[in-house]
Amino acid sequence: MTYDKIITGGTVHSDTSSFKADIGIKGETIVAIGADLKGTAKTEIINARGKDVIPGCIDVHVHLALPFCGTVSCDDFDSGSRAAACGCITMVCDFAIPGKDQTLEDAHRTWLKKSKGISAIDFSWHMAITNKRHIKEIPAFVERGLPTFKEFMIYESEGWNSDDAMLYATLEKVRRHNGMLLLHAESPRVLDLLIERAHTPAKMKKHGARLHAMTRPNFIEAEAIERAVHWCDVTGGRLYIVHMSTGEGCDIIRNAQSRGVPVLAETCIQYLTMTDERFKEKDGHLYACCPQIKKAADVKRLWEALEYGNEVSVISTDTCSFTREQKAMWEGDFTKIPMGLPGLDTMVPLVYTHGVRTGRLTINDLVRYCSTAPAIIMGMGHRKGRIEPGYDADIAIIDPKRTVKVDWKRLQSRSDWSPWQGEELGGFAHTTLCRGEYLVKSHRFVGKRGHGKLIPRMLPGA
Ligand SMILES: [Zn+2]
């Protein structure tokens, strides 16, 4: 066997174990794992002695160049994929959201245009169902390798919201055609009422951006998850709650799973590392994302879920970056803040630092939540999420001794601020390979624009 590249001397981590091994790569694929692999004169040796070698991480929840809240999120597939690569991520899943009167097919074409020839890392997207006519397009998209769909219980103003009937009908359809529904779960009617009550000049003057959190108490998310779990239970259609932010959510998912309801949940890095105290800061409005960051008790419960339970399966970013100038559009009105945070550069470093370095998680847990589980759950577990012969050579190498102080100026994201500015983080990529090609070398982005491919997916059990 000849190899194009051999990664030697590193400690290889899977979702369940860690071991010393060399990795042989030919073309885009891992072809050998073993002790002392031998190359030829042409083989490139990547020395990983003293370093952690993990499968490329996968962020299954990003919004790149998304028209939203009256503007367009500032990271696209160019800057977003560069940021991802520097943060150990080798594939992202975006959400293709149809415009008014558009079909899923139209949305799919728009997202192809945004990504193909631009993204340095691999990609796919979930198809957003914003109209009941979209439901009949589900089988065709499952067939072509896009088996995951998204619905929003809120965002009536964007024209994206689904009611219970659409949820129910979509879950029936995904059950029949082996798809899965991803859901933004917040209770729209009560949320609207609370926002309407708070949306007065006096209250806005008094509380500012804090109203964003004050109008979204935990029961807004909890009631929505509970209702969705009910429709999931009676239809048997697979459901995945995106960006779960509350302790109540964890309890509901745990309970549902114990009854055999086919529901999974993800949380995002912002819900594990920040609380709504941030809204009290000067420029607190910058931290507005949706759902908003919650309380210390929620942060604690979400970490417990990761440490001991199964109720949270995946960590993602929900990246939707806006610059300071874009965020300034709010002008004191909490309902006008572009909602979203940057995060692709820093997700894996934050899990590494707050999870692995503190001992709360093992590095195998990091691999599970950021690579293996998202790969399996979203239908690319046959070629991504593991370092094994036959798998794509998507690999990140971390120097465990290196710590970096976060400075947005040195990140690849186009955001001109970072929620984690000044934090000391380990876990940035020393080396990143995507299908055998260098994206990052000695902590420097060297990837090629357009290297990334649309990866066809098929859910387990098909
Ligand atoms: Zn999102």
mmCIF file of all heavy atoms in Angstrom, residues 94-137:
data_model
loop_
_atom_site.group_PDB
_atom_site.id
_atom_site.type_symbol
_atom_site.label_atom_id
_atom_site.label_comp_id
_atom_site.label_asym_id
_atom_site.label_seq_id
_atom_site.Cartn_x
_atom_site.Cartn_y
_atom_site.Cartn_z
ATOM 1 N N ASP A 94 -26.149 23.945 6.391
ATOM 2 C CA ASP A 94 -26.885 25.200 6.436
ATOM 3 C C ASP A 94 -28.380 24.871 6.338
ATOM 4 O O ASP A 94 -28.766 23.697 6.424
ATOM 5 C CB ASP A 94 -26.410 26.071 5.248
ATOM 6 C CG ASP A 94 -26.684 27.547 5.446
ATOM 7 O OD1 ASP A 94 -27.865 27.905 5.598
ATOM 8 O OD2 ASP A 94 -25.731 28.357 5.429
ATOM 9 N N PHE A 95 -29.193 25.886 6.197
ATOM 10 C CA PHE A 95 -30.636 25.702 6.028
ATOM 11 C C PHE A 95 -31.055 26.435 4.769
ATOM 12 O O PHE A 95 -30.879 27.656 4.673
ATOM 13 C CB PHE A 95 -31.395 26.280 7.239
ATOM 14 C CG PHE A 95 -31.132 25.521 8.505
ATOM 15 C CD1 PHE A 95 -29.966 25.750 9.227
ATOM 16 C CD2 PHE A 95 -32.021 24.563 8.960
ATOM 17 C CE1 PHE A 95 -29.694 25.039 10.389
ATOM 18 C CE2 PHE A 95 -31.759 23.844 10.114
ATOM 19 C CZ PHE A 95 -30.593 24.085 10.838
ATOM 20 N N ALA A 96 -31.580 25.709 3.776
ATOM 21 C CA ALA A 96 -32.051 26.347 2.535
ATOM 22 C C ALA A 96 -33.491 26.783 2.752
ATOM 23 O O ALA A 96 -34.383 25.952 2.906
ATOM 24 C CB ALA A 96 -31.940 25.373 1.372
ATOM 25 N N ILE A 97 -33.674 28.099 2.816
ATOM 26 C CA ILE A 97 -34.988 28.640 3.167
ATOM 27 C C ILE A 97 -35.615 29.299 1.939
ATOM 28 O O ILE A 97 -35.050 30.257 1.403
ATOM 29 C CB ILE A 97 -34.870 29.659 4.324
ATOM 30 C CG1 ILE A 97 -34.121 29.031 5.512
ATOM 31 C CG2 ILE A 97 -36.262 30.143 4.749
ATOM 32 C CD1 ILE A 97 -33.906 29.951 6.702
ATOM 33 N N PRO A 98 -36.759 28.793 1.476
ATOM 34 C CA PRO A 98 -37.383 29.379 0.285
ATOM 35 C C PRO A 98 -37.865 30.792 0.560
ATOM 36 O O PRO A 98 -38.336 31.101 1.654
ATOM 37 C CB PRO A 98 -38.595 28.476 0.019
ATOM 38 C CG PRO A 98 -38.453 27.300 0.923
ATOM 39 C CD PRO A 98 -37.539 27.690 2.039
ATOM 40 N N GLY A 99 -37.731 31.671 -0.423
ATOM 41 C CA GLY A 99 -38.335 32.995 -0.339
ATOM 42 C C GLY A 99 -39.835 32.867 -0.559
ATOM 43 O O GLY A 99 -40.348 31.789 -0.837
ATOM 44 N N LYS A 100 -40.504 33.984 -0.445
ATOM 45 C CA LYS A 100 -41.963 34.009 -0.628
ATOM 46 C C LYS A 100 -42.340 33.387 -1.983
ATOM 47 O O LYS A 100 -41.745 33.723 -3.001
ATOM 48 C CB LYS A 100 -42.429 35.469 -0.557
ATOM 49 C CG LYS A 100 -43.911 35.637 -0.351
ATOM 50 C CD LYS A 100 -44.238 37.115 -0.166
ATOM 51 C CE LYS A 100 -45.669 37.523 -0.336
ATOM 52 N NZ LYS A 100 -46.689 36.601 -0.651
ATOM 53 N N ASP A 101 -43.299 32.478 -1.956
ATOM 54 C CA ASP A 101 -43.807 31.786 -3.161
ATOM 55 C C ASP A 101 -42.783 30.889 -3.851
ATOM 56 O O ASP A 101 -43.017 30.408 -4.955
ATOM 57 C CB ASP A 101 -44.368 32.793 -4.197
ATOM 58 C CG ASP A 101 -45.516 33.610 -3.625
ATOM 59 O OD1 ASP A 101 -46.292 33.043 -2.827
ATOM 60 O OD2 ASP A 101 -45.616 34.807 -3.942
ATOM 61 N N GLN A 102 -41.627 30.671 -3.233
ATOM 62 C CA GLN A 102 -40.647 29.774 -3.847
ATOM 63 C C GLN A 102 -40.884 28.328 -3.443
ATOM 64 O O GLN A 102 -41.454 28.057 -2.379
ATOM 65 C CB GLN A 102 -39.228 30.173 -3.437
ATOM 66 C CG GLN A 102 -38.701 31.397 -4.167
ATOM 67 C CD GLN A 102 -37.215 31.580 -3.935
ATOM 68 O OE1 GLN A 102 -36.676 31.186 -2.911
ATOM 69 N NE2 GLN A 102 -36.548 32.183 -4.894
ATOM 70 N N THR A 103 -40.415 27.414 -4.278
ATOM 71 C CA THR A 103 -40.469 25.989 -3.959
ATOM 72 C C THR A 103 -39.184 25.591 -3.234
ATOM 73 O O THR A 103 -38.220 26.380 -3.184
ATOM 74 C CB THR A 103 -40.548 25.158 -5.255
ATOM 75 O OG1 THR A 103 -39.371 25.430 -6.024
ATOM 76 C CG2 THR A 103 -41.795 25.526 -6.073
ATOM 77 N N LEU A 104 -39.149 24.360 -2.720
ATOM 78 C CA LEU A 104 -37.904 23.843 -2.140
ATOM 79 C C LEU A 104 -36.830 23.777 -3.223
ATOM 80 O O LEU A 104 -35.649 24.036 -2.962
ATOM 81 C CB LEU A 104 -38.118 22.453 -1.527
ATOM 82 C CG LEU A 104 -39.009 22.347 -0.281
ATOM 83 C CD1 LEU A 104 -38.906 20.949 0.311
ATOM 84 C CD2 LEU A 104 -38.657 23.390 0.778
ATOM 85 N N GLU A 105 -37.247 23.432 -4.419
ATOM 86 C CA GLU A 105 -36.316 23.367 -5.556
ATOM 87 C C GLU A 105 -35.633 24.726 -5.774
ATOM 88 O O GLU A 105 -34.414 24.800 -5.971
ATOM 89 C CB GLU A 105 -37.119 22.966 -6.799
ATOM 90 C CG GLU A 105 -36.284 22.633 -8.012
ATOM 91 C CD GLU A 105 -35.349 21.455 -7.778
ATOM 92 O OE1 GLU A 105 -35.816 20.414 -7.283
ATOM 93 O OE2 GLU A 105 -34.153 21.601 -8.080
ATOM 94 N N ASP A 106 -36.412 25.802 -5.712
ATOM 95 C CA ASP A 106 -35.834 27.154 -5.859
ATOM 96 C C ASP A 106 -34.804 27.414 -4.760
ATOM 97 O O ASP A 106 -33.720 27.945 -5.019
ATOM 98 C CB ASP A 106 -36.920 28.241 -5.740
ATOM 99 C CG ASP A 106 -37.963 28.148 -6.851
ATOM 100 O OD1 ASP A 106 -37.599 27.745 -7.966
ATOM 101 O OD2 ASP A 106 -39.142 28.485 -6.586
ATOM 102 N N ALA A 107 -35.177 27.073 -3.521
ATOM 103 C CA ALA A 107 -34.277 27.315 -2.383
ATOM 104 C C ALA A 107 -32.990 26.512 -2.549
ATOM 105 O O ALA A 107 -31.879 27.014 -2.317
ATOM 106 C CB ALA A 107 -34.962 26.936 -1.078
ATOM 107 N N HIS A 108 -33.139 25.264 -2.992
ATOM 108 C CA HIS A 108 -31.978 24.400 -3.212
ATOM 109 C C HIS A 108 -31.012 25.040 -4.221
ATOM 110 O O HIS A 108 -29.805 25.093 -3.993
ATOM 111 C CB HIS A 108 -32.456 23.037 -3.715
ATOM 112 C CG HIS A 108 -31.363 22.081 -4.031
ATOM 113 N ND1 HIS A 108 -30.461 21.634 -3.082
ATOM 114 C CD2 HIS A 108 -30.987 21.500 -5.197
ATOM 115 C CE1 HIS A 108 -29.603 20.812 -3.654
ATOM 116 N NE2 HIS A 108 -29.891 20.717 -4.935
ATOM 117 N N ARG A 109 -31.572 25.567 -5.315
ATOM 118 C CA ARG A 109 -30.728 26.219 -6.332
ATOM 119 C C ARG A 109 -30.009 27.445 -5.762
ATOM 120 O O ARG A 109 -28.840 27.680 -6.040
ATOM 121 C CB ARG A 109 -31.576 26.619 -7.545
ATOM 122 C CG ARG A 109 -31.567 25.561 -8.639
ATOM 123 C CD ARG A 109 -32.020 26.147 -9.969
ATOM 124 N NE ARG A 109 -33.394 26.615 -9.885
ATOM 125 C CZ ARG A 109 -34.464 25.870 -10.180
ATOM 126 N NH1 ARG A 109 -34.303 24.625 -10.588
ATOM 127 N NH2 ARG A 109 -35.679 26.364 -10.072
ATOM 128 N N THR A 110 -30.729 28.236 -4.959
ATOM 129 C CA THR A 110 -30.115 29.426 -4.347
ATOM 130 C C THR A 110 -28.933 29.019 -3.474
ATOM 131 O O THR A 110 -27.863 29.640 -3.524
ATOM 132 C CB THR A 110 -31.146 30.176 -3.481
ATOM 133 O OG1 THR A 110 -32.277 30.462 -4.290
ATOM 134 C CG2 THR A 110 -30.582 31.469 -2.921
ATOM 135 N N TRP A 111 -29.109 27.957 -2.680
ATOM 136 C CA TRP A 111 -28.026 27.568 -1.770
ATOM 137 C C TRP A 111 -26.850 26.943 -2.533
ATOM 138 O O TRP A 111 -25.701 27.095 -2.125
ATOM 139 C CB TRP A 111 -28.565 26.688 -0.631
ATOM 140 C CG TRP A 111 -28.715 27.494 0.616
ATOM 141 C CD1 TRP A 111 -27.871 27.481 1.686
ATOM 142 C CD2 TRP A 111 -29.731 28.484 0.918
ATOM 143 N NE1 TRP A 111 -28.290 28.394 2.629
ATOM 144 C CE2 TRP A 111 -29.421 29.014 2.195
ATOM 145 C CE3 TRP A 111 -30.835 28.975 0.250
ATOM 146 C CZ2 TRP A 111 -30.197 30.002 2.805
ATOM 147 C CZ3 TRP A 111 -31.611 29.945 0.850
ATOM 148 C CH2 TRP A 111 -31.294 30.453 2.105
ATOM 149 N N LEU A 112 -27.141 26.272 -3.646
ATOM 150 C CA LEU A 112 -26.042 25.759 -4.486
ATOM 151 C C LEU A 112 -25.182 26.914 -4.986
ATOM 152 O O LEU A 112 -23.958 26.866 -4.977
ATOM 153 C CB LEU A 112 -26.605 25.010 -5.691
ATOM 154 C CG LEU A 112 -26.802 23.507 -5.559
ATOM 155 C CD1 LEU A 112 -27.399 22.954 -6.853
ATOM 156 C CD2 LEU A 112 -25.503 22.781 -5.222
ATOM 157 N N LYS A 113 -25.864 27.987 -5.394
ATOM 158 C CA LYS A 113 -25.156 29.160 -5.914
ATOM 159 C C LYS A 113 -24.288 29.814 -4.833
ATOM 160 O O LYS A 113 -23.212 30.319 -5.103
ATOM 161 C CB LYS A 113 -26.184 30.170 -6.445
ATOM 162 C CG LYS A 113 -25.802 30.767 -7.790
ATOM 163 C CD LYS A 113 -26.865 31.725 -8.319
ATOM 164 C CE LYS A 113 -27.993 30.995 -9.043
ATOM 165 N NZ LYS A 113 -29.227 31.792 -9.140
ATOM 166 N N LYS A 114 -24.786 29.792 -3.579
ATOM 167 C CA LYS A 114 -24.034 30.429 -2.492
ATOM 168 C C LYS A 114 -22.782 29.653 -2.099
ATOM 169 O O LYS A 114 -21.893 30.205 -1.470
ATOM 170 C CB LYS A 114 -24.896 30.468 -1.210
ATOM 171 C CG LYS A 114 -26.044 31.426 -1.221
ATOM 172 C CD LYS A 114 -26.626 31.473 0.188
ATOM 173 C CE LYS A 114 -28.049 31.963 0.137
ATOM 174 N NZ LYS A 114 -28.475 32.578 1.397
ATOM 175 N N SER A 115 -22.762 28.333 -2.386
ATOM 176 C CA SER A 115 -21.744 27.477 -1.778
ATOM 177 C C SER A 115 -20.779 26.848 -2.775
ATOM 178 O O SER A 115 -19.582 26.769 -2.528
ATOM 179 C CB SER A 115 -22.443 26.363 -0.997
ATOM 180 O OG SER A 115 -23.338 25.670 -1.856
ATOM 181 N N LYS A 116 -21.309 26.365 -3.896
ATOM 182 C CA LYS A 116 -20.508 25.593 -4.848
ATOM 183 C C LYS A 116 -19.432 26.483 -5.463
ATOM 184 O O LYS A 116 -19.725 27.580 -5.929
ATOM 185 C CB LYS A 116 -21.418 25.059 -5.951
ATOM 186 C CG LYS A 116 -21.123 23.635 -6.312
ATOM 187 C CD LYS A 116 -22.071 23.102 -7.343
ATOM 188 C CE LYS A 116 -21.299 22.162 -8.251
ATOM 189 N NZ LYS A 116 -22.057 21.835 -9.446
ATOM 190 N N GLY A 117 -18.195 26.001 -5.442
ATOM 191 C CA GLY A 117 -17.094 26.811 -5.972
ATOM 192 C C GLY A 117 -16.612 27.861 -4.984
ATOM 193 O O GLY A 117 -15.704 28.621 -5.281
ATOM 194 N N ILE A 118 -17.223 27.936 -3.828
ATOM 195 C CA ILE A 118 -16.859 28.959 -2.835
ATOM 196 C C ILE A 118 -16.364 28.320 -1.536
ATOM 197 O O ILE A 118 -15.323 28.678 -1.008
ATOM 198 C CB ILE A 118 -18.074 29.875 -2.549
ATOM 199 C CG1 ILE A 118 -18.467 30.623 -3.841
ATOM 200 C CG2 ILE A 118 -17.746 30.865 -1.424
ATOM 201 C CD1 ILE A 118 -19.772 31.369 -3.756
ATOM 202 N N SER A 119 -17.125 27.343 -1.032
ATOM 203 C CA SER A 119 -16.801 26.765 0.274
ATOM 204 C C SER A 119 -15.506 25.966 0.233
ATOM 205 O O SER A 119 -15.299 25.144 -0.661
ATOM 206 C CB SER A 119 -17.947 25.857 0.737
ATOM 207 O OG SER A 119 -17.646 25.352 2.022
ATOM 208 N N ALA A 120 -14.658 26.178 1.235
ATOM 209 C CA ALA A 120 -13.419 25.398 1.352
ATOM 210 C C ALA A 120 -13.688 24.045 2.001
ATOM 211 O O ALA A 120 -12.885 23.119 1.873
ATOM 212 C CB ALA A 120 -12.388 26.171 2.171
ATOM 213 N N ILE A 121 -14.794 23.919 2.737
ATOM 214 C CA ILE A 121 -15.100 22.655 3.424
ATOM 215 C C ILE A 121 -16.395 22.069 2.848
ATOM 216 O O ILE A 121 -17.144 22.744 2.136
ATOM 217 C CB ILE A 121 -15.255 22.861 4.951
ATOM 218 C CG1 ILE A 121 -16.476 23.727 5.278
ATOM 219 C CG2 ILE A 121 -14.001 23.458 5.553
ATOM 220 C CD1 ILE A 121 -16.794 23.774 6.757
ATOM 221 N N ASP A 122 -16.629 20.803 3.167
ATOM 222 C CA ASP A 122 -17.824 20.123 2.655
ATOM 223 C C ASP A 122 -19.077 20.705 3.295
ATOM 224 O O ASP A 122 -19.031 21.318 4.367
ATOM 225 C CB ASP A 122 -17.717 18.617 2.912
ATOM 226 C CG ASP A 122 -16.708 17.975 1.964
ATOM 227 O OD1 ASP A 122 -16.363 18.613 0.951
ATOM 228 O OD2 ASP A 122 -16.256 16.848 2.254
ATOM 229 N N PHE A 123 -20.192 20.469 2.609
ATOM 230 C CA PHE A 123 -21.418 21.113 3.080
ATOM 231 C C PHE A 123 -22.651 20.333 2.637
ATOM 232 O O PHE A 123 -22.591 19.488 1.734
ATOM 233 C CB PHE A 123 -21.496 22.562 2.554
ATOM 234 C CG PHE A 123 -21.322 22.674 1.057
ATOM 235 C CD1 PHE A 123 -22.397 22.511 0.189
ATOM 236 C CD2 PHE A 123 -20.064 22.929 0.516
ATOM 237 C CE1 PHE A 123 -22.226 22.593 -1.183
ATOM 238 C CE2 PHE A 123 -19.888 23.018 -0.877
ATOM 239 C CZ PHE A 123 -20.977 22.850 -1.719
ATOM 240 N N SER A 124 -23.744 20.656 3.288
ATOM 241 C CA SER A 124 -25.068 20.226 2.870
ATOM 242 C C SER A 124 -26.040 21.212 3.511
ATOM 243 O O SER A 124 -25.598 22.187 4.127
ATOM 244 C CB SER A 124 -25.352 18.791 3.332
ATOM 245 O OG SER A 124 -26.649 18.389 2.903
ATOM 246 N N TRP A 125 -27.340 20.986 3.327
ATOM 247 C CA TRP A 125 -28.310 21.839 4.011
ATOM 248 C C TRP A 125 -29.592 21.086 4.276
ATOM 249 O O TRP A 125 -29.902 20.081 3.640
ATOM 250 C CB TRP A 125 -28.618 23.112 3.220
ATOM 251 C CG TRP A 125 -28.663 22.942 1.739
ATOM 252 C CD1 TRP A 125 -29.691 22.435 0.999
ATOM 253 C CD2 TRP A 125 -27.616 23.265 0.816
ATOM 254 N NE1 TRP A 125 -29.352 22.429 -0.326
ATOM 255 C CE2 TRP A 125 -28.091 22.935 -0.468
ATOM 256 C CE3 TRP A 125 -26.331 23.811 0.956
ATOM 257 C CZ2 TRP A 125 -27.303 23.120 -1.617
ATOM 258 C CZ3 TRP A 125 -25.565 23.987 -0.186
ATOM 259 C CH2 TRP A 125 -26.063 23.655 -1.447
ATOM 260 N N HIS A 126 -30.298 21.585 5.274
ATOM 261 C CA HIS A 126 -31.637 21.102 5.606
ATOM 262 C C HIS A 126 -32.613 21.975 4.814
ATOM 263 O O HIS A 126 -32.418 23.186 4.697
ATOM 264 C CB HIS A 126 -31.892 21.245 7.102
ATOM 265 C CG HIS A 126 -30.724 20.823 7.960
ATOM 266 N ND1 HIS A 126 -30.374 19.506 8.139
ATOM 267 C CD2 HIS A 126 -29.808 21.547 8.673
ATOM 268 C CE1 HIS A 126 -29.305 19.440 8.925
ATOM 269 N NE2 HIS A 126 -28.934 20.665 9.260
ATOM 270 N N MET A 127 -33.676 21.383 4.297
ATOM 271 C CA MET A 127 -34.652 22.123 3.497
ATOM 272 C C MET A 127 -35.732 22.685 4.413
ATOM 273 O O MET A 127 -36.399 21.928 5.130
ATOM 274 C CB MET A 127 -35.294 21.198 2.453
ATOM 275 C CG MET A 127 -34.303 20.525 1.498
ATOM 276 S SD MET A 127 -33.183 21.645 0.603
ATOM 277 C CE MET A 127 -34.350 22.737 -0.198
ATOM 278 N N ALA A 128 -35.898 23.997 4.390
ATOM 279 C CA ALA A 128 -36.880 24.622 5.283
ATOM 280 C C ALA A 128 -38.267 24.614 4.630
ATOM 281 O O ALA A 128 -38.444 25.077 3.501
ATOM 282 C CB ALA A 128 -36.463 26.044 5.613
ATOM 283 N N ILE A 129 -39.208 24.062 5.374
ATOM 284 C CA ILE A 129 -40.595 23.991 4.908
ATOM 285 C C ILE A 129 -41.349 25.172 5.507
ATOM 286 O O ILE A 129 -41.535 25.254 6.722
ATOM 287 C CB ILE A 129 -41.199 22.646 5.327
ATOM 288 C CG1 ILE A 129 -40.460 21.560 4.554
ATOM 289 C CG2 ILE A 129 -42.707 22.611 5.082
ATOM 290 C CD1 ILE A 129 -40.914 20.192 4.820
ATOM 291 N N THR A 130 -41.705 26.117 4.640
ATOM 292 C CA THR A 130 -42.324 27.341 5.145
ATOM 293 C C THR A 130 -43.748 27.496 4.602
ATOM 294 O O THR A 130 -44.401 28.512 4.837
ATOM 295 C CB THR A 130 -41.495 28.573 4.719
ATOM 296 O OG1 THR A 130 -41.355 28.568 3.289
ATOM 297 C CG2 THR A 130 -40.112 28.548 5.348
ATOM 298 N N ASN A 131 -44.195 26.456 3.878
ATOM 299 C CA ASN A 131 -45.490 26.526 3.207
ATOM 300 C C ASN A 131 -45.975 25.092 3.064
ATOM 301 O O ASN A 131 -45.167 24.198 2.784
ATOM 302 C CB ASN A 131 -45.254 27.148 1.815
ATOM 303 C CG ASN A 131 -46.543 27.355 1.072
ATOM 304 O OD1 ASN A 131 -47.367 26.449 0.931
ATOM 305 N ND2 ASN A 131 -46.711 28.560 0.574
ATOM 306 N N LYS A 132 -47.284 24.852 3.246
ATOM 307 C CA LYS A 132 -47.705 23.448 3.226
ATOM 308 C C LYS A 132 -47.525 22.785 1.858
ATOM 309 O O LYS A 132 -47.425 21.576 1.764
ATOM 310 C CB LYS A 132 -49.113 23.277 3.795
ATOM 311 C CG LYS A 132 -50.240 23.921 3.066
ATOM 312 C CD LYS A 132 -51.545 23.465 3.754
ATOM 313 C CE LYS A 132 -52.767 23.943 2.995
ATOM 314 N NZ LYS A 132 -53.230 25.274 3.383
ATOM 315 N N ARG A 133 -47.411 23.596 0.804
ATOM 316 C CA ARG A 133 -47.134 23.018 -0.527
ATOM 317 C C ARG A 133 -45.747 22.361 -0.595
ATOM 318 O O ARG A 133 -45.509 21.502 -1.436
ATOM 319 C CB ARG A 133 -47.229 24.110 -1.604
ATOM 320 C CG ARG A 133 -48.649 24.581 -1.883
ATOM 321 C CD ARG A 133 -48.705 25.442 -3.138
ATOM 322 N NE ARG A 133 -47.838 26.625 -3.060
ATOM 323 C CZ ARG A 133 -48.203 27.779 -2.496
ATOM 324 N NH1 ARG A 133 -49.402 27.925 -1.978
ATOM 325 N NH2 ARG A 133 -47.367 28.793 -2.457
ATOM 326 N N HIS A 134 -44.843 22.784 0.299
ATOM 327 C CA HIS A 134 -43.493 22.193 0.296
ATOM 328 C C HIS A 134 -43.490 20.731 0.730
ATOM 329 O O HIS A 134 -42.560 19.999 0.406
ATOM 330 C CB HIS A 134 -42.555 22.980 1.225
ATOM 331 C CG HIS A 134 -42.309 24.389 0.780
ATOM 332 N ND1 HIS A 134 -42.099 25.416 1.668
ATOM 333 C CD2 HIS A 134 -42.243 24.950 -0.460
ATOM 334 C CE1 HIS A 134 -41.908 26.548 1.005
ATOM 335 N NE2 HIS A 134 -42.005 26.293 -0.287
ATOM 336 N N ILE A 135 -44.517 20.337 1.483
ATOM 337 C CA ILE A 135 -44.498 18.991 2.080
ATOM 338 C C ILE A 135 -44.452 17.909 0.994
ATOM 339 O O ILE A 135 -43.774 16.896 1.146
ATOM 340 C CB ILE A 135 -45.699 18.810 3.041
ATOM 341 C CG1 ILE A 135 -45.554 19.793 4.217
ATOM 342 C CG2 ILE A 135 -45.794 17.374 3.557
ATOM 343 C CD1 ILE A 135 -46.763 19.864 5.144
ATOM 344 N N LYS A 136 -45.093 18.179 -0.135
ATOM 345 C CA LYS A 136 -45.094 17.140 -1.176
ATOM 346 C C LYS A 136 -43.737 17.001 -1.887
ATOM 347 O O LYS A 136 -43.481 16.022 -2.569
ATOM 348 C CB LYS A 136 -46.238 17.353 -2.171
ATOM 349 C CG LYS A 136 -46.141 18.608 -3.007
ATOM 350 C CD LYS A 136 -47.285 18.605 -4.028
ATOM 351 C CE LYS A 136 -47.216 19.770 -4.997
ATOM 352 N NZ LYS A 136 -47.115 21.113 -4.379
ATOM 353 N N GLU A 137 -42.856 17.983 -1.672
ATOM 354 C CA GLU A 137 -41.511 17.873 -2.262
ATOM 355 C C GLU A 137 -40.562 17.002 -1.415
ATOM 356 O O GLU A 137 -39.437 16.723 -1.843
ATOM 357 C CB GLU A 137 -40.892 19.269 -2.444
ATOM 358 C CG GLU A 137 -41.589 20.148 -3.488
ATOM 359 C CD GLU A 137 -40.849 21.484 -3.677
ATOM 360 O OE1 GLU A 137 -39.823 21.500 -4.368
ATOM 361 O OE2 GLU A 137 -41.310 22.501 -3.098
#
